[in-house]
Amino acid sequence: VDLVKTAKTQLAFLRTVDAIPQLYTPHVAALAVQRYEHCWLPLLHEHGSSKRLAPPLDVEWVWHCHCLCPLAYASDCQAVVGALQ
């Protein structure tokens, strides 16, 4: 793993998210969480190992935030799709 390249990719992603203040509004955030739980996690569970998938930005932001709490992430993935994603 190239840590410098990965860090630069993460910084670019965070800059993109920061440039779209609508992502922080309660309504948009709630819809993003709902799409993450009901669409993205099941899709990733079903096709993630066989296909290269990319979530929309709002869903990726939720996913990124979710991964920052690994114990909750593992527990929630287990509860939603029965496996860690």
Side-chain angles (χ1 to χ4, degrees):
V1 173
D2 183 340
L3 293 179
V4 173
K5 181 180 177 184
T6 301
K8 287 180 179 181
T9 300
Q10 286 297 308
L11 284 173
F13 169 70
L14 293 173
R15 282 189 194 104
T16 301
V17 169
D18 192 50
I20 305 172
Q22 296 88 346
L23 291 174
Y24 298 104
T25 63
H27 178 71
V28 171
L31 289 174
V33 168
Q34 183 179 32
R35 289 174 359 118
Y36 170 74
E37 290 178 351
H38 298 286
C39 299
W40 178 250
L41 286 179
L43 180 70
L44 189 62
H45 178 67
E46 187 174 338
H47 300 288
S49 62
S50 63
K51 296 182 181 174
R52 186 176 171 122
L53 301 173
L57 184 62
D58 62 330
V59 172
E60 186 174 4
W61 176 232
V62 173
W63 191 15
H64 177 87
C65 292
H66 198 198
C67 288
L68 294 175
C69 189
L71 295 178
Y73 178 77
S75 173
D76 294 343
C77 286
Q78 187 69 37
V80 172
V81 295
L84 182 61
Q85 299 304 310

